[in-house]
């Protein structure tokens, strides 16, 4: 209700039966409370983020306490708002996301006031509620992507290193095969040369033997003629020494 001064107050009534011992007599006990008292209870929004607010409504779903934003002042939930309608029907929810009184998806928690018909409601824009989740999800995605990228990069580097090592191993095997083939060729060539040398050596030994035999034969065959020549020369020297000049004697 509103006082003549314009101040809004909350009237609370309680019917009392059997007033002053008369069972047929009843009285209504009324209590009045300024809504500013309730404002003090609901004005602290430090834990409700940038878009949250809490308020008390009457049985028609109209906010009795001051709303957080000036654009919402003196503006209550329409009776057909899903959350308010559910709360005024006596139901409560610890958490639900539903359109609020400006038709924006909002996370709400509400509870009816027993014996009064009003509703206590706390709400915050759904986008702000899920923002930390989205941030965490983005961080997790970023970590997963970074991890996958790092693993892929490491795998790529390892594979490339293994391929390079395999290529170097193949090249080394080819070089070793070439060196082995070259060494085999050199051994074969040296073996061939040794065989040729052996053959030449055998030929030289045979020629030397032939020369020795020839020399022995020549020496043996010329021995008699040489003796004859020597004897003939001695006879000439004895018989004709006086007729020979010095050159003839020599």
């Amino acid at each position: 209700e509103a006082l003549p001064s314009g101040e809004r107050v909350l009237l609370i009534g309680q019917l009392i039966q059997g007033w002053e011992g008369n069972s047929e007599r009843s009285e209504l006990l009324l209590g009045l409370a300024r809504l500013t008292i309730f404002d003090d209870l609901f004005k602290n929004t430090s834990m409700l983020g940038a878009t949250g607010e809490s308020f008390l409504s009457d049985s028609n779903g109209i906010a009795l306490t001051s709303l957080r934003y000036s654009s919402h002042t003196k503006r209550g939930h329409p009776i057909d708002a899903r959350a308010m309608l559910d709360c005024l029907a006596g139901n409560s929810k610890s958490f639900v996301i539903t359109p609020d009184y400006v038709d924006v998806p909002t996370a709400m928690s509400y509870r009816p006031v027993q014996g009064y018909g009003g509703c206590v409601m706390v709400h915050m824009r759904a986008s702000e509620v899920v923002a930390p989740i989205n941030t965490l999800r983005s961080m997790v995605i970023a970590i997963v992507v970074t991890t996958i990228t790092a693993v892929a990069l490491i795998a790529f580097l390892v594979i490339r290193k293994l391929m390079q090592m395999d290529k170097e191993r193949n090249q080394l095997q080819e070089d070793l095969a070439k060196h082995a083939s070259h060494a085999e060729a050199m051994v074969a060539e040296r073996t061939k040369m040794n065989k040729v040398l052996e053959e030449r050596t055998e030929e030289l030994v045979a020629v030397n033997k032939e020369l020795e035999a020839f020399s022995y034969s020549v020496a043996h065959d010329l021995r008699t003629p040489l003796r004859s020549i020597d004897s003939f020369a001695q006879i000439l020297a004895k018989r004709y020494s006086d007729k020979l000049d010095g050159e003839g004697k020599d």
Side-chain angles (χ1 to χ4, degrees):
E1 298 291 340
L3 296 178
S5 62
E7 181 182 3
R8 300 179 69 194
V9 295
L10 178 65
L11 293 177
I12 302 175
Q14 178 65 44
L15 183 63
I16 301 176
Q17 299 286 348
W19 181 257
E20 295 181 349
N22 186 350
S23 60
E24 297 180 355
R25 184 180 177 183
S26 61
E27 298 289 341
L28 181 64
L29 181 64
L30 292 177
L32 182 147
R34 290 185 171 86
L35 293 181
T36 54
I37 297 175
F38 295 99
D39 282 341
D40 292 338
L41 297 175
F42 290 91
K43 69 180 181 180
N44 185 5
T45 58
S46 60
M47 298 180 65
L48 297 178
T51 62
E53 63 181 352
S54 60
F55 61 89
L56 173 67
S57 75
D58 61 12
S59 59
N60 295 318
I62 304 299
L64 297 176
T65 56
S66 299
L67 298 176
R68 182 174 185 180
Y69 304 101
S70 59
S71 61
H72 301 163
T73 302
K74 297 181 181 179
R75 184 177 181 180
H77 288 66
I79 195 66
D80 59 350
R82 184 182 306 172
M84 182 58 70
L85 185 62
D86 189 50
C87 185
L88 295 177
N91 299 315
S92 63
K93 287 288 180 64
S94 297
F95 181 84
V96 65
I97 295 180
T98 184
D100 68 351
Y101 54 88
V102 290
D103 202 30
V104 176
T106 304
M108 295 186 179
S109 176
Y110 51 83
R111 184 180 298 275
V113 180
Q114 300 297 331
Y116 162 64
C119 182
V120 176
M121 184 169 289
V122 180
H123 65 181
M124 182 186 297
R125 293 287 187 265
S127 58
E128 184 176 5
V129 173
V130 300
I133 299 176
N134 291 335
T135 301
L136 179 60
R137 180 165 55 190
S138 299
M139 291 176 61
V140 171
I141 292 174
I143 292 173
V144 171
V145 171
T146 302
T147 303
I148 293 175
T149 303
V151 171
L153 179 60
I154 292 174
F156 170 76
L157 293 177
V158 170
I159 292 174
R160 187 174 70 173
K161 183 63 176 179
L162 290 176
M163 292 178 64
Q164 182 179 358
M165 292 175 63
D166 186 65
K167 183 178 180 180
E168 292 177 352
R169 181 177 61 83
N170 293 334
Q171 184 64 40
L172 181 60
Q173 289 179 346
E174 291 180 1
D175 293 341
L176 290 175
K178 290 180 180 179
H179 287 303
S181 177
H182 181 66
E184 290 177 357
M186 291 182 63
V187 170
E189 183 67 22
R190 181 169 297 179
T191 302
K192 183 178 179 181
M193 292 179 63
N194 289 336
K195 185 175 181 181
V196 172
L197 289 175
E198 290 177 357
E199 292 177 354
R200 294 291 185 272
T201 302
E202 291 177 357
E203 291 177 357
L204 290 175
V205 170
V207 170
N208 287 333
K209 288 182 178 180
E210 291 178 359
L211 289 175
E212 289 178 358
F214 178 74
S215 299
Y216 177 79
S217 176
V218 169
H220 184 272
D221 292 341
L222 293 178
R223 183 178 301 172
T224 300
L226 288 175
R227 286 179 181 175
S228 299
I229 293 171
D230 182 62
S231 298
F232 182 71
Q234 290 179 5
I235 293 171
L236 288 175
K238 289 180 180 180
R239 291 181 180 181
Y240 302 100
S241 60
D242 58 339
K243 293 181 179 182
L244 297 175
D245 55 10
E247 184 178 357
K249 291 179 180 181
D250 293 335

